[in-house]
């Protein structure tokens, strides 16, 4: 049964974003294209596109959210994760951590619609940011039931980004957090993107939706330190159950990140972490810092504040290394540099 949350908890988020002023760029603003009369319907078009894919496949929400994370953590939020490799360059999307990325077709479809309506105006980077917000909103019960704030959005997205011209697989490998990292590495990585320990705990809860392949965590089950051992941060009985599903060389089997709840965005993830059932070592690492540990335990059975926090942290992440003005471009095709 899906969890229900009172809509009154979230209605103040729009106002909070207006007061949240630690901006990395003066170019970004809520409804950038509408305010400047460049493309007033951009958010409606992106939302309509995401919704059409969601109705056919509710699991599309996690891939769209993940695209935004993987975009922002490398070159910044510049749409570089969408660029195809060429004969002379291996792009981000072909880096090993990105080989399981999905949702590119949704972004391409939204871009196609926007180019027909407002050619050469809306960046692919902004489409990724908007699609991530729409996806996670649709995965949340109160939004799906039409009880949330304006246009059923979980939070408002600042737009005005321009697209990057650099996309490197090696940069992706250097910058993307690993699912095997501990708290020190995670803290350092997030800090380099302007995000603190609270943001780490909040954004890690994105793992409450979506799936993972066995090979993303099999090392924890069979050879954690190279001695045929198991990750001690994983509950032994839970690990034993996972070994019945995943073999050491299994590259195809897919498991839900949160069993039985992989398409609903809620706080169930935190409960799993407290029970030592986080699928990734990085999930369990949240218990190794007082700040992240306190956040996890305080939201195990209490969702108050979490959705608000998630919106704030997503906006902060979306400000990372934004291109503006004469920098970057507005790609005609999200997969190809102009």
């Amino acid at each position: 049964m899906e969890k229900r949350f009172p809509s009154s908890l979230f209605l103040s988020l729009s106002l909070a974003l207006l007061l949240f002023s630690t901006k990395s760029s003066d170019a970004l603003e809520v409804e950038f294209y509408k305010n400047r009369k460049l493309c007033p319907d951009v958010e409606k078009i992106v939302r309509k596109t995401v919704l059409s894919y969601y109705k056919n496949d509710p699991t599309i929400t996690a891939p769209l959210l993940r695209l935004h994370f993987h975009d922002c953590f490398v070159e910044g939020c510049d749409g570089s994760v969408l660029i195809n490799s060429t004969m002379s360059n291996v792009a981000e999307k072909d880096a090993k951590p990105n080989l399981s990325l999905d949702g590119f077709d949704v972004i391409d479809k939204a871009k196609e619609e926007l180019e027909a309506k407002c050619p050469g105006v809306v960046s692919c980077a902004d489409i990724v940011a908007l699609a991530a917000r729409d996806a996670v909103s649709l995965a949340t019960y109160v939004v799906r039931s039409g009880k949330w704030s304006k246009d059923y959005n979980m939070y408002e997205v600042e737009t005005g980004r321009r697209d990057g011209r650099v996309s490197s697989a090696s940069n992706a490998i250097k910058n993307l957090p690993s699912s095997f990292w501990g708290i020190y590495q995670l803290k350092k990585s997030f800090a380099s993107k302007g995000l603190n320990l609270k943001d780490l705990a909040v954004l890690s809860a994105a793992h409450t939706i979506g799936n993972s392949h066995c090979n993303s965590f099999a090392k924890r089950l069979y050879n954690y330190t190279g001695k045929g051992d198991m990750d001690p941060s994983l509950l032994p009985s839970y690990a034993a159950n996972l070994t019945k599903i995943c073999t050491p060389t299994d590259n195809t089997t897919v498991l839900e990140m949160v069993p039985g709840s992989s398409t609903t965005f809620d706080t169930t993830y935190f409960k799993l972490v407290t029970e030592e059932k986080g699928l990734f070592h990085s999930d369990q690492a949240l218990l190794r810092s007082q700040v992240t540990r306190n956040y996890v335990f305080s939201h195990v059975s209490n969702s108050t504040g979490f959705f608000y926090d998630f919106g704030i942290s997503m906006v902060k992440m979306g400000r990372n290394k934004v291109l503006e003005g004469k920098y970057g471009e507005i790609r005609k095709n999200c997969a190809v540099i102009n």
Side-chain angles (χ1 to χ4, degrees):
M1 181 176 181
E2 293 176 321
K3 296 184 178 180
R4 290 162 169 73
F5 307 103
S7 58
S8 60
L9 294 175
F10 319 108
L11 296 179
S12 62
L13 181 55
S14 297
L15 176 60
L17 291 181
L18 292 176
L19 300 176
F20 180 58
S21 59
T22 58
K23 298 184 71 169
S24 62
S25 169
D26 292 331
L28 295 185
E29 60 183 272
V30 173
E31 296 190 331
F32 172 90
Y33 299 100
K34 184 176 182 179
N35 295 342
R36 305 188 184 205
K37 297 180 172 58
L38 297 171
C39 191
D41 295 330
V42 57
E43 295 201 22
K44 291 181 180 179
I45 292 171
V46 174
R47 186 181 304 111
K48 181 180 178 181
T49 302
V50 173
L51 182 59
S52 67
Y53 279 82
Y54 173 82
K55 287 180 177 178
N56 290 325
D57 180 12
T59 65
I60 193 61
T61 54
L64 290 175
L65 183 56
R66 190 173 176 225
L67 267 183
H68 189 36
F69 283 130
H70 282 235
D71 186 34
C72 291
F73 263 76
V74 183
E75 296 293 340
C77 308
D78 66 348
S80 54
V81 73
L82 307 172
I83 297 174
N84 287 340
S85 294
T86 64
M87 292 291 291
S88 59
N89 178 65
V90 181
E92 289 175 35
K93 66 166 58 174
D94 289 319
K96 186 175 180 179
N98 286 337
L99 293 178
S100 59
L101 288 180
D102 200 358
F104 296 104
D105 53 337
V106 182
I107 305 301
D108 289 341
K109 180 60 177 176
K111 179 62 171 175
E112 179 185 326
E113 297 290 333
L114 287 166
E115 283 297 303
K117 182 82 171 182
C118 317
V121 172
V122 182
S123 70
C124 299
D126 278 342
I127 296 173
V128 171
L130 290 167
R133 185 274 310 278
D134 294 340
V136 74
S137 295
L138 286 168
T140 308
Y141 175 79
V142 291
V143 174
R144 291 203 305 271
S145 63
K147 296 179 181 178
W148 214 302
S149 57
K150 183 182 177 183
D151 295 322
Y152 312 144
N153 293 330
M154 184 176 172
Y155 60 92
E156 292 191 317
V157 176
E158 295 174 335
T159 46
R161 301 169 185 81
R162 289 173 65 81
D163 296 321
R165 298 190 181 98
V166 176
S167 184
S168 165
S170 60
N171 284 346
I173 293 171
K174 291 176 185 176
N175 285 279
L176 289 172
S178 167
S179 63
F180 293 103
W181 278 2
I183 191 64
Y184 174 77
Q185 292 166 299
L186 291 169
K187 177 182 177 180
K188 184 177 180 181
S189 174
F190 273 63
S192 71
K193 314 303 176 187
L195 302 169
N196 58 32
L197 281 169
K198 180 180 178 180
D199 296 316
L200 169 59
V202 171
L203 294 176
S204 292
H207 288 168
T208 200
I209 55 175
N211 306 304
S212 177
H213 287 84
C214 286
N215 60 359
S216 295
F217 58 87
K219 180 181 176 181
R220 298 186 72 200
L221 306 176
Y222 295 103
N223 198 28
Y224 183 61
T225 64
K227 300 178 181 179
D229 54 343
M230 183 183 297
D231 185 346
S233 70
L234 186 62
L235 185 69
S237 59
Y238 189 59
N241 288 334
L242 291 175
T243 60
K244 296 176 183 178
I245 304 170
C246 298
T247 65
T249 58
D250 189 342
N251 295 319
T252 58
T253 303
V254 175
L255 277 73
E256 293 179 302
M257 294 294 293
V258 176
S261 183
S262 65
T263 58
T264 301
F265 189 75
D266 55 24
T267 56
T268 307
Y269 165 81
F270 293 128
K271 183 175 185 293
L272 285 184
V273 172
T274 64
E275 295 173 347
E276 300 181 347
K277 295 179 181 178
L279 211 50
F280 298 151
H281 182 80
S282 58
D283 295 324
Q284 292 308 136
L286 297 179
L287 301 184
R288 306 292 291 181
S289 156
Q290 197 63 49
V291 174
T292 53
R293 181 185 177 87
N294 286 347
Y295 193 89
V296 168
F297 274 92
S298 67
H299 290 84
V300 168
S301 57
N302 179 14
S303 63
T304 302
F306 167 67
F307 298 99
Y308 169 91
D309 291 340
F310 190 81
I312 293 295
S313 293
M314 287 292 286
V315 171
K316 286 178 66 176
M317 184 186 73
R319 293 171 176 169
N320 184 41
K321 294 173 64 176
V322 170
L323 296 173
E324 59 182 89
K326 65 180 181 180
Y327 300 100
E329 63 184 16
I330 302 298
R331 262 179 250 144
K332 297 176 182 178
N333 180 333
C334 290
V336 181
I337 298 171
N338 290 348

